[in-house]
Amino acid sequence: MLPWWRGSINRFLEQWFPTSCARCGSLGGSPCSICIGQFVGAAPIPEIPPLQRVAALLRYDETSRPFIADLKYHGGWSVARGLAPALAFLLDDTIGANKPDVVLTWAPTTPERARHRGFDQAEVLARELAHRSGHRVQRTLRRLPGEHQTGRNRSERSQGVRFVSVGTVPEAIVLVDDVVTTGSTMAAAAKVLLGAGAVTVLGLAVAATPDRLMQ
Ligand SMILES: [Zn+2]
């Protein structure tokens, strides 16, 4: 289990101390309204089989990068909370008109990395989005120890990520993540979920790299 007390303390403190924007440092929220105005929306994401559909909120660029870094390296609860309303809209759009009873989940980071940082940024995002959207959130995957993703190419990545399912896997799942790069992590996670009882797996990310398919 991750030491969730750490996230809880952060959330408690943020209620009493003003939050500064992870990019420009101004007080009041992260992202602040000025930085929100400078965000560029992510381009539509081409198919990442076996996921049925994948959507991202922002283009991963110099404006969105500091917020992703805050999530990734500092467990930025304020960023997760700041982006949750927009992500909830995108979630509705991604689920589509039928609105099946989807369950939010995440592809966990490596156990070593989660232990070292004390949180898993994808889990932080999924839980905050669940809180905002009213959808259920459930841990469905465990990542087996292996190499980290940063700095590896597409084929190395797909070979390096291994998951196993945990507990009863719901039929309709949305995988929540911070950044979609090649999509190989999401694809590996979706494959395991579909093999363990899921019927539909969708993907939702805060940001997508524009050169994703050239990697
Ligand atoms: Zn700002």
Side-chain angles (χ1 to χ4, degrees):
M1 289 296 287
L2 296 178
W4 271 101
W5 52 268
R6 191 157 149 181
S8 303
I9 288 172
N10 285 347
R11 298 184 83 167
F12 174 77
L13 290 175
E14 280 168 11
Q15 290 177 12
W16 298 96
F17 298 98
T19 304
S20 60
C21 177
R23 178 169 174 250
C24 70
S26 66
L27 290 178
S30 186
C32 73
S33 55
I34 292 166
C35 290
I36 287 172
Q38 292 173 18
F39 281 142
V40 178
I45 296 176
E47 227 176 286
I48 302 175
L51 289 115
Q52 204 175 59
R53 199 174 168 196
V54 180
L57 189 63
L58 307 171
R59 189 174 74 183
Y60 186 65
D61 58 14
E62 60 282 356
T63 308
S64 63
R65 195 174 295 125
F67 301 103
I68 301 295
D70 194 41
L71 277 170
K72 218 186 253 302
Y73 301 110
H74 307 113
W77 278 101
S78 53
V79 171
R81 199 171 317 136
L83 294 171
L87 275 174
F89 275 115
L90 185 63
L91 175 65
D92 271 349
D93 187 54
T94 307
I95 294 167
N98 301 327
K99 304 235 185 316
D101 190 17
V102 297
V103 174
L104 307 184
T105 195
W106 65 97
T109 186
T110 59
E112 312 89 73
R113 184 177 276 177
R115 252 197 313 277
H116 177 70
R117 291 183 184 162
F119 59 87
D120 183 332
Q121 75 272 8
E123 181 177 2
V124 169
L125 273 171
R127 292 192 182 280
E128 200 57 46
L129 182 57
H131 180 70
R132 179 77 197 193
S133 67
H135 286 286
R136 212 150 59 79
V137 62
Q138 185 185 322
R139 178 189 298 275
T140 58
L141 293 165
R142 189 162 63 84
R143 184 159 173 164
L144 301 175
E147 294 296 314
H148 293 318
Q149 289 292 282
T150 310
R152 312 179 81 212
N153 69 29
R154 186 174 191 146
S155 62
E156 284 172 343
R157 285 182 181 207
S158 56
Q159 286 164 12
V161 189
R162 290 183 303 144
F163 297 104
V164 288
S165 66
V166 175
T168 307
V169 172
E171 277 192 17
I173 291 176
V174 177
L175 274 168
V176 180
D177 209 349
D178 54 346
V179 185
V180 182
T181 49
T182 62
S184 61
T185 302
M186 267 195 185
K191 197 175 162 192
V192 171
L193 293 170
L194 290 164
V199 176
T200 306
V201 182
L202 308 169
L204 190 71
V206 172
T209 53
D211 57 347
R212 194 168 38 80
L213 296 174
M214 290 186 283
Q215 290 184 25

